[in-house]
Amino acid sequence: MKIIGIIAEYNPFHNGHLYQIEKVKEIYPESIIIVAMSGNFLQRGEPAIVDKWVRAKQALLNGVDVVVEIPIAGCVQPADRFAENGVRILNNMGCEELFFGAEHAEYDFMTYAQLVQNLDSTEFSKKNISYAEAFQEAVAAKIGHNIDSPNDVLGLAYAKANLKFGKKLKLNPISRNVAGYHDKFLSPDSNIASATAIRKVLFSKDHNLVDKYLPSYQDLKNEKYISWDDFWPFLRYKLISSDIDELANIYGMAEGIQYRMKKKALELKTEATFDEWLKAVKSKRFTYTRLTRLSVATLVGMKVNDVSLYNKFPYVHLLGFTKNGQKALNIMKKNSEIPLLAKISQQDKDDFYHVDYRAGKIYQSQNYKEQDLKRAPLIF
Amino acid sequence: MKIIGIIAEYNPFHNGHLYQIEKVKEIYPESIIIVAMSGNFLQRGEPAIVDKWVRAKQALLNGVDVVVEIPIAGCVQPADRFAENGVRILNNMGCEELFFGAEHAEYDFMTYAQLVQNLDSTEFSKKNISYAEAFQEAVAAKIGHNIDSPNDVLGLAYAKANLKFGKKLKLNPISRNVAGYHDKFLSPDSNIASATAIRKVLFSKDHNLVDKYLPSYQDLKNEKYISWDDFWPFLRYKLISSDIDELANIYGMAEGIQYRMKKKALELKTEATFDEWLKAVKSKRFTYTRLTRLSVATLVGMKVNDVSLYNKFPYVHLLGFTKNGQKALNIMKKNSEIPLLAKISQQDKDDFYHVDYRAGKIYQSQNYKEQDLKRAPLIF
């Protein structure tokens, strides 16, 4: 029995994800697949199109054995932090190998990780370009070529995290060249499309067109699809109604960006959309994803201290498992240093879980489904 | 020339208000009438049904000569504070007499004010009843009978404020027995109805029925009518997304009520209305109006410090005037100690005016009309 880890968002779960799982089963027919998945707000600072329970269910119906939620403080983070938090969870759950999609599955990610491990990140913030761009430049100088495709970047981040935690995982990049991560359109010749393209169609009147690209569109069909448009009035209200020094406490605020975020929220016309606001706030020093992550932190009121606490005292929330997955959970219970929450108690929600609980309540305001309290793990 | 002051909300301006103005003109045909009016959030903790500019316009079209806005920190306050802030403004604008509606216009409010001026309000909060009830009891003991009709209570508050500021105003209670303040229904036999009844009908499908009770329904007709229902999702979001210690800084929070406000916001079903939440939060120690005022303070993020600053450095915002009113403004400019803002500057909005500006922006999110910047006083 091999315990395989995957770090995923499943936004939504599509045939590309299914393909990855089938690949694992092909190589290890007896494996148990554990997925560390983002919750209702994703790594790049977007609300998930459907909630974590719907996404976990789709994964469990399609070959995944255990789905756990990466807490929001660990998830809505730059790729490196996200990867560290995911890898730390999978290590603790007893995973032996990590599978991930990559544009260049032939890359030797662990070797690259070793080459770049001593890059001094404090240097990056001095240049008049974004942190991400500066990091890209430095990595290319070390490795000899760019690593700039989104999944390759994540792959390198996983490798670095794995290195940091003592190389407990064997890395298995899977070629995902069928659909580009950011592809904007469905590809008629394939049944695999990017999550970006699928979401775009789900929000359009032609939403049924996605059927072909999803293993279980039936389950998704009756959901309300959630986007930043749903939360923008609340984010805007928060920016307007908060003092600057309250905003300054939000995790990720830097270089006085809170002034600009608030100013644009106040000044733009009432009808302005989230995207218009983002464009107005955008500057050379801040990438869009940094701003969308900041937007999530502001929306849910995630403070610097909340993230420090999570880093010191991590935990993980069990969303669901299969009978097969139960075996891995039994092993894990004996060895893990990270508490696995099967249910969120009244005490948890006021204690270490409070930002996740709050994020769930805010998500619930749009999809009308309780997210944490009284929800038991899905069992398949 | 007599300068007459009125403290009003005009929510909305109706024939009862017109009647009061006609009474003034009857007694003083040469008078200039100055109204200190609440802004977009009212004394009792409600959003105004239409914005301050629409209400000011209606007043100016119906005999009022100057309308100034009582800042939110002075307005969303218990009757005594509201009255003090209104009287202070009118004193500074050179008013000689104060007209107000009263259920018992025959009461000698100034004498009553003298009788109750030394009541020790710290005693009230010890009993297991609301402050308002305890105050009623104590007043009745001093005066010999209850003062419990809403406008009489306000009248007594005006008298106390007038006493405090050296009795600069002569008080003129006007009998308003045609419509009870809290009357829930329009009265078919009269063309005067309570603002409560009028609002109720404006929110119904029979809104045209109010025509008879308003001097200028045509101006109101195309407005979007605003209520707590519009702001409730934002208040709820604020309660959910704020830490308890952030809520504790809100003006008016006491006895840990923030825990209860937040708890109910979290626990009630997603569909719960503002009224359902209020009922759930209500306790013996808090009247509904105290809770609705707290709700406004929470919605706009008005802190203890914001109110202290306003008390120390009051200001008043000029919403509009007539040619006749211009004369009073000329006199006032020479004598007033309270700055009169004819326009809100970029600097004002970030400085002392910031809570009003914020309240305006929040109101604007629902009625789509800029409330402060770039708005000049109405001139009729």
Side-chain angles (χ1 to χ4, degrees):
Chain A
M1 186 182 83
K2 200 87 176 169
I3 305 184
I4 303 299
I6 291 173
I7 297 169
E9 308 225 86
Y10 295 156
N11 187 41
F13 191 94
H14 58 61
N15 288 340
H17 301 125
L18 181 61
Y19 169 81
Q20 187 186 33
I21 291 163
E22 283 166 351
K23 267 282 177 214
V24 176
K25 302 273 184 196
E26 201 179 295
I27 302 173
Y28 299 113
E30 299 294 296
S31 61
I32 293 177
I33 301 178
I34 299 182
V35 170
M37 189 182 79
S38 28
N40 292 325
F41 293 91
L42 308 179
Q43 187 259 324
R44 295 168 63 84
E46 300 283 333
I49 190 166
V50 291
D51 75 28
K52 58 195 182 188
W53 299 99
V54 173
R55 283 147 55 228
K57 183 181 169 192
Q58 296 196 311
L60 293 167
L61 286 174
N62 287 285
V64 169
D65 296 296
V66 177
V67 181
V68 293
E69 175 186 1
I70 309 174
I72 190 167
C75 173
V76 182
Q77 290 285 4
D80 279 7
R81 296 275 182 99
F82 173 74
E84 274 189 24
N85 290 312
V87 166
R88 180 166 66 165
I89 287 169
L90 294 178
N91 278 337
N92 265 276
M93 299 197 70
C95 292
E96 297 152 90
E97 302 202 8
L98 177 71
F99 276 70
F100 59 93
E103 286 82 359
H104 298 87
E106 70 279 14
Y107 282 173
D108 182 355
F109 288 96
M110 284 310 296
T111 303
Y112 293 172
Q114 254 145 351
L115 287 172
V116 303
Q117 71 176 320
N118 294 322
L119 283 181
D120 179 4
S121 67
T122 57
E123 285 298 311
F124 304 157
S125 50
K126 292 183 191 158
K127 304 189 183 178
N128 191 26
I129 51 177
S130 74
Y131 180 94
E133 289 168 300
F135 180 72
Q136 293 289 356
E137 266 185 22
V139 165
K142 288 277 181 187
I143 296 177
H145 58 78
N146 282 329
I147 303 246
D148 50 11
S149 304
N151 287 280
D152 290 344
V153 171
L154 261 178
L156 179 58
Y158 296 146
K160 284 163 62 189
N162 192 37
L163 189 63
K164 177 174 171 175
F165 294 124
K167 293 194 260 189
K168 292 188 185 123
L169 296 167
K170 176 171 176 279
L171 301 197
N172 273 300
I174 300 285
S175 175
R176 61 188 308 290
N177 55 11
V178 186
Y181 185 87
H182 286 305
D183 277 2
K184 291 211 178 88
F185 304 102
L186 301 177
S187 37
D189 306 334
S190 156
N191 68 347
I192 293 187
S194 75
T196 307
I198 290 168
R199 286 196 301 276
K200 203 179 145 90
V201 175
L202 281 173
F203 281 113
S204 77
K205 61 176 174 29
D206 299 325
H207 43 82
N208 286 329
L209 286 179
V210 299
D211 197 5
K212 178 180 161 195
Y213 306 91
L214 301 178
S216 41
Y217 179 49
Q218 292 310 314
D219 284 333
L220 216 60
K221 230 175 147 161
N222 299 317
E223 295 297 319
K224 181 185 168 194
Y225 304 131
I226 305 289
S227 76
W228 256 119
D229 290 342
D230 297 297
F231 295 110
W232 164 235
F234 297 96
L235 174 64
R236 186 173 194 176
Y237 160 72
K238 178 78 151 218
L239 290 167
I240 288 174
S241 70
S242 298
D243 291 336
I244 276 292
D245 55 352
E246 290 171 323
L247 295 176
N249 289 328
I250 297 293
Y251 178 73
M253 285 294 174
E255 305 179 22
I257 189 72
Q258 65 272 22
Y259 286 92
R260 205 172 154 83
M261 290 169 72
K262 185 178 168 99
K263 187 172 162 20
K264 298 300 177 187
L266 284 163
E267 285 178 2
L268 288 179
K269 63 184 194 303
T270 319
E271 300 81 353
T273 63
F274 178 66
D275 288 340
E276 285 166 347
W277 172 79
L278 262 189
K279 262 181 211 139
V281 175
K282 178 84 177 77
S283 75
K284 259 194 174 176
R285 303 275 297 163
F286 285 80
T287 59
Y288 278 113
T289 45
R290 189 167 172 199
L291 290 176
T292 49
R293 276 194 292 268
L294 258 172
S295 299
V296 169
T298 305
L299 180 74
V300 305
M302 182 163 73
K303 311 293 182 336
V304 177
N305 193 41
D306 296 322
V307 178
S308 314
L309 268 176
Y310 169 73
N311 288 338
K312 267 187 223 157
F313 306 105
Y315 52 89
V316 63
H317 182 196
L318 180 62
L319 294 177
F321 54 90
T322 61
K323 266 184 200 152
N324 198 28
Q326 179 72 56
K327 290 181 229 162
L329 292 175
N330 291 340
I331 299 170
M332 185 211 165
K333 273 185 194 152
K334 289 174 207 137
N335 303 318
S336 173
E337 288 164 11
I338 299 183
L340 180 72
L341 311 169
K343 277 207 176 186
I344 305 306
S345 72
Q346 290 287 343
Q347 204 190 319
D348 298 342
K349 79 167 172 41
D350 296 329
D351 192 2
F352 63 89
Y353 198 76
H354 78 280
V355 185
D356 295 282
Y357 176 60
R358 188 186 281 183
K361 280 289 165 185
I362 292 167
Y363 198 90
Q364 179 188 343
S365 76
Q366 298 308 306
N367 89 335
Y368 287 69
K369 291 181 189 170
E370 183 74 47
Q371 290 300 304
D372 291 296
L373 286 187
K374 296 171 200 160
R375 294 288 296 245
L378 307 167
I379 304 178
F380 283 92
Chain B
M1 186 181 84
K2 200 89 177 168
I3 305 183
I4 303 298
I6 291 173
I7 297 169
E9 308 224 85
Y10 295 155
N11 187 42
F13 191 93
H14 58 60
N15 288 340
H17 300 123
L18 181 60
Y19 169 80
Q20 188 186 32
I21 291 162
E22 283 167 350
K23 267 281 177 213
V24 176
K25 302 272 184 197
E26 202 180 295
I27 303 174
Y28 299 112
E30 299 295 296
S31 60
I32 293 177
I33 301 178
I34 299 183
V35 170
M37 190 183 79
S38 27
N40 292 324
F41 293 92
L42 309 179
Q43 186 259 325
R44 294 168 64 83
E46 301 283 333
I49 189 165
V50 291
D51 75 29
K52 57 194 183 190
W53 299 98
V54 174
R55 284 149 53 229
K57 183 181 170 192
Q58 296 196 312
L60 293 167
L61 286 174
N62 287 284
V64 169
D65 296 296
V66 177
V67 181
V68 294
E69 175 186 1
I70 309 173
I72 191 168
C75 173
V76 182
Q77 290 285 3
D80 279 6
R81 296 275 182 99
F82 173 74
E84 274 188 25
N85 291 312
V87 167
R88 181 165 65 165
I89 287 169
L90 294 178
N91 278 337
N92 266 276
M93 299 197 70
C95 292
E96 296 153 272
E97 302 201 9
L98 177 71
F99 275 70
F100 59 93
E103 287 82 359
H104 299 86
E106 70 279 14
Y107 282 173
D108 182 356
F109 287 97
M110 284 310 295
T111 303
Y112 293 173
Q114 254 145 350
L115 287 171
V116 303
Q117 71 176 320
N118 294 321
L119 283 180
D120 179 5
S121 68
T122 57
E123 284 298 310
F124 304 157
S125 51
K126 291 183 190 157
K127 304 191 182 176
N128 191 26
I129 51 178
S130 73
Y131 180 94
E133 289 168 301
F135 180 71
Q136 292 290 355
E137 266 184 23
V139 166
K142 288 276 182 190
I143 296 178
H145 59 78
N146 282 329
I147 302 248
D148 50 12
S149 303
N151 287 280
D152 291 344
V153 171
L154 261 178
L156 179 58
Y158 296 146
K160 284 163 61 188
N162 193 37
L163 189 63
K164 178 173 169 173
F165 293 125
K167 293 193 262 188
K168 291 188 186 125
L169 296 168
K170 176 171 176 280
L171 301 197
N172 273 300
I174 300 285
S175 176
R176 63 189 306 289
N177 55 12
V178 187
Y181 185 87
H182 286 306
D183 277 2
K184 291 209 178 89
F185 305 102
L186 300 177
S187 37
D189 306 334
S190 157
N191 68 347
I192 293 187
S194 75
T196 307
I198 290 168
R199 286 196 300 275
K200 204 180 145 91
V201 175
L202 281 173
F203 281 112
S204 76
K205 60 176 175 28
D206 299 325
H207 42 83
N208 286 329
L209 286 180
V210 298
D211 197 4
K212 179 181 159 194
Y213 305 91
L214 301 178
S216 41
Y217 179 49
Q218 292 310 315
D219 284 334
L220 216 60
K221 229 174 146 161
N222 299 317
E223 295 297 318
K224 181 184 167 196
Y225 304 131
I226 304 289
S227 76
W228 256 118
D229 291 342
D230 297 297
F231 295 110
W232 164 235
F234 297 96
L235 174 63
R236 187 174 194 175
Y237 160 73
K238 178 78 152 220
L239 290 166
I240 288 173
S241 70
S242 298
D243 291 336
I244 277 292
D245 55 352
E246 290 171 323
L247 295 176
N249 289 328
I250 296 293
Y251 177 73
M253 286 294 175
E255 305 179 22
I257 189 72
Q258 65 272 23
Y259 286 93
R260 204 172 156 84
M261 290 170 72
K262 184 178 169 100
K263 187 171 162 21
K264 298 300 176 184
L266 284 162
E267 285 178 3
L268 287 179
K269 62 185 195 302
T270 319
E271 300 82 353
T273 63
F274 178 66
D275 288 340
E276 285 166 346
W277 172 79
L278 263 189
K279 263 183 209 136
V281 175
K282 178 83 178 75
S283 74
K284 260 195 174 176
R285 303 276 297 163
F286 284 80
T287 59
Y288 277 113
T289 44
R290 189 167 172 197
L291 291 176
T292 48
R293 276 194 292 267
L294 259 171
S295 299
V296 169
T298 305
L299 180 74
V300 306
M302 182 164 73
K303 311 294 182 335
V304 176
N305 194 40
D306 296 322
V307 178
S308 314
L309 269 176
Y310 169 73
N311 288 337
K312 266 187 225 159
F313 306 106
Y315 52 90
V316 63
H317 182 196
L318 180 62
L319 295 177
F321 55 89
T322 61
K323 267 184 199 151
N324 199 28
Q326 179 71 57
K327 290 181 230 163
L329 292 174
N330 291 341
I331 299 171
M332 185 210 164
K333 272 185 194 151
K334 289 175 208 138
N335 303 317
S336 174
E337 288 164 12
I338 300 183
L340 180 73
L341 311 168
K343 277 208 177 186
I344 305 305
S345 73
Q346 291 287 342
Q347 202 189 320
D348 298 341
K349 79 167 172 41
D350 295 330
D351 192 2
F352 63 89
Y353 199 76
H354 78 279
V355 184
D356 295 283
Y357 177 60
R358 187 187 281 183
K361 279 289 166 186
I362 292 168
Y363 198 90
Q364 179 188 344
S365 76
Q366 298 308 305
N367 90 335
Y368 287 68
K369 291 182 189 168
E370 182 74 47
Q371 291 299 304
D372 291 296
L373 286 187
K374 297 172 201 159
R375 294 289 296 245
L378 307 167
I379 304 179
F380 283 92

